[in-house]
Amino acid sequence: MIVPRRVALRSLFAVAVTAFTGGALGRVTSRPPSGNRAEGPRDPHAFDEMYRGRRILGFSGPEGTPTALVDGRPLHLMRCADGGYVTPIDHYESCPTPLAATRAAVDELGAAPLSPLAGAHGVHADPTGGSPRGVHA
């Protein structure tokens, strides 16, 4: 049986998209080491807890930089000159640790979901009058 070219190309595209999506999600959802001696030293930025009804997760990202997720969405952490951390949600309060900065962002968000823009540096005010603090209604 001869398979039409269109069917073959569609199948190949579906396999490629599935493989790419699986690989990308595997990196995003991978957990940091638990700290067992067999796995090496404990991650200094690791945390995984429920805080005010939200799951917050932290670990060392590329080059040892702290990475935080709020309900699975990335939250950008920025290092301050005083050694603390701030987030796009609250640029005004320097927190001593990535965990404290993530908790402060959750406090500020309240019940609102985290905006996809909060995962990138340079969150700006929404031109339609939305909140400039990373809140996505």
Side-chain angles (χ1 to χ4, degrees), residues 13-107:
F13 177 74
V15 168
V17 168
T18 303
F20 175 76
T21 304
L25 289 176
R27 286 188 194 101
V28 169
T29 61
S30 65
R31 297 180 59 113
S34 64
N36 294 339
R37 284 182 170 235
E39 294 180 20
R42 177 154 165 63
D43 183 352
H45 302 297
F47 57 88
D48 184 358
E49 67 181 44
M50 289 299 290
Y51 180 73
R52 297 197 174 199
R54 295 179 183 254
R55 180 161 184 235
I56 58 175
L57 176 68
F59 52 93
S60 291
E63 301 174 14
T65 57
T67 303
L69 301 175
V70 176
D71 293 334
R73 289 190 171 181
L75 174 67
H76 184 67
L77 295 168
M78 296 164 277
R79 189 72 184 224
C80 298
D82 66 0
Y85 296 87
V86 295
T87 66
I89 309 301
D90 189 357
H91 266 100
Y92 306 105
E93 179 184 353
S94 177
C95 300
T97 65
L99 174 59
T102 305
R103 286 178 176 166
V106 169
D107 290 341

